[in-house]
Amino acid sequence: MTKVHARGEDIRKFILTHVEEHPADVGKITADHFGITRQAINKHLQKLVVENALSENGHTRNKAYKLAAILEWRQVYKVVPGLAEDLVWRNDIRGVLGNMPDNVLHIWHYGFTEMFNNVIDHSGGSEVAIHMRRTGASTEMLIHDNGVGIFKKIQATLDLLDERHALLELSKGKLTTDSKHHSGEGIFFTSRMFDSYDILSGGVYFSHKFGHPEDWILENERLENGTAVWMKLDNYTARSTKKIFDQYAYGDDYGFNKTVVPVKLARYGSDELISRSQAKRLLGRVELFEVVIFDFTDVESIGQAFADEIFRVFAIQHPGIELGSVHASPEVKQMIARAKSGLNK
């Protein structure tokens, strides 16, 4: 490929990557980025329109662009004996995805088979629908079953306070309602492999965006039946399954032994995080890990008892576990330091 052709491919890839956020001014942004004229960029925009990678609306200076769906595919499967995620992958999903880099296919293979198997083994539903949409930049998949709902099942199985408490436990990883047959790692790692990963069930919403360690929203639009899982991935991402696994492996033993706990999920409504009971709820099952990082995003302050329970009492009881914190405000840091000062007393 000549340098001219390679530059053209780079320009068109840049357009496809940024058009969703800048539908009306993607031409200007691209021209500024590459230092070339708007007229030159317009040729690339028209090429993408002709190739059905983009669709355009409006006229002349008022034109706006958006990604065009190259492919849309839907299928409904009955959850019956013999339904297997590897067969659905091999017979249907792999072909729908088409030509992709190996690392991208490996992510889709892992994510799809883990989520589809969860439906088969845990949902209690009678059918599952898959909807896929591919553009020139990314691919999205929706898996929706009509079962009992993931958060409701976790709540009932683990005897938790409510479905939001189930969300907190799910965020830590190593959570399964069937420990004999599942490790509880599937959702945790899948959520970190994709550009965006979302679960909606019973009005509780789990969202993880790549590059943002914890991005959580609660009480979204209620989904009355079952569980809906959305996954989205750049068609040319450099990410790989190995890179993600390695992020959560600590020490000489290759295993899932590191987790990040979103502290704000221990808070209900406008409640302040001040009590030992709240801290104990946050600490549930973290003894399964060797490294535990508490993410204090959106938590401006914590109480002395809350900090003491985590960073002194729990630390003394579990000396082999390394505790850390990120995104802590000055006030939170002060409380953590105060709690840690009691370790040597």
Side-chain angles (χ1 to χ4, degrees), residues 279-299:
K280 290 175 182 177
R281 190 177 307 130
L282 187 72
L283 289 165
R285 299 187 313 104
V286 300
E287 70 278 1
L288 299 176
F289 301 90
E290 295 179 26
V291 178
V292 181
I293 307 298
F294 295 95
D295 186 344
F296 285 91
T297 298
D298 295 334
V299 177

Side-chain angles (χ1 to χ4, degrees), residues 147-328:
V148 298
I150 183 172
F151 301 122
K152 186 178 295 184
K153 178 150 189 185
I154 292 171
Q155 177 197 354
T157 303
L158 301 185
D159 193 25
L160 302 177
L161 291 174
D162 55 22
E163 291 178 65
R164 294 196 304 172
H165 191 182
L167 172 58
L168 170 59
E169 293 306 310
L170 184 68
S171 72
K172 299 172 186 174
K174 290 191 178 181
L175 176 67
T176 177
T177 57
D178 182 9
S179 59
K180 290 183 178 179
H181 301 97
H182 289 265
S183 66
E185 299 180 5
I187 289 177
F188 183 92
F189 282 113
T190 300
S191 70
R192 283 148 179 83
M193 289 179 185
F194 286 83
D195 294 330
S196 62
Y197 176 92
D198 306 271
I199 301 177
L200 178 60
S201 180
V204 176
Y205 184 57
F206 171 107
S207 178
H208 190 277
K209 311 299 180 187
F210 187 82
H212 300 275
E214 306 300 338
D215 183 11
W216 312 93
I217 305 173
L218 299 177
E219 302 299 340
N220 207 288
E221 182 180 350
R222 176 166 290 275
L223 182 71
E224 294 295 341
N225 297 310
T227 301
V229 176
W230 287 269
M231 298 178 285
K232 182 178 181 180
L233 187 65
D234 186 314
N235 293 335
Y236 301 98
T237 184
R239 208 172 308 135
S240 69
T241 55
K242 184 179 185 303
K243 288 180 181 178
I244 301 301
F245 288 137
D246 286 348
Q247 285 182 18
Y248 296 92
Y250 178 77
D252 296 331
D253 294 330
Y254 185 81
F256 179 22
N257 47 24
K258 176 182 176 182
T259 190
V260 179
V261 180
V263 177
K264 71 178 181 179
L265 288 185
R267 183 175 57 202
Y268 280 68
S270 60
D271 289 351
E272 296 297 322
L273 294 174
I274 59 175
S275 72
R276 293 189 185 276
S277 293
Q278 290 170 314
K280 290 175 182 177
R281 190 177 307 130
L282 187 72
L283 289 165
R285 299 187 313 104
V286 300
E287 70 278 1
L288 299 176
F289 301 90
E290 295 179 26
V291 178
V292 181
I293 307 298
F294 295 95
D295 186 344
F296 285 91
T297 298
D298 295 334
V299 177
E300 292 300 319
S301 64
I302 56 176
Q304 182 274 330
F306 182 89
D308 186 70
E309 187 67 33
I310 297 172
F311 294 99
R312 188 185 66 85
V313 175
F314 182 85
I316 290 173
Q317 294 171 345
H318 302 83
I321 297 177
E322 180 180 328
L323 304 180
S325 62
V326 293
H327 306 139

Side-chain angles (χ1 to χ4, degrees), residues 11 17 47 65 137 155 187 265 303:
I11 291 171
T17 302
K47 177 176 175 63
Y65 297 88
Q155 177 197 354
I187 289 177
L265 288 185

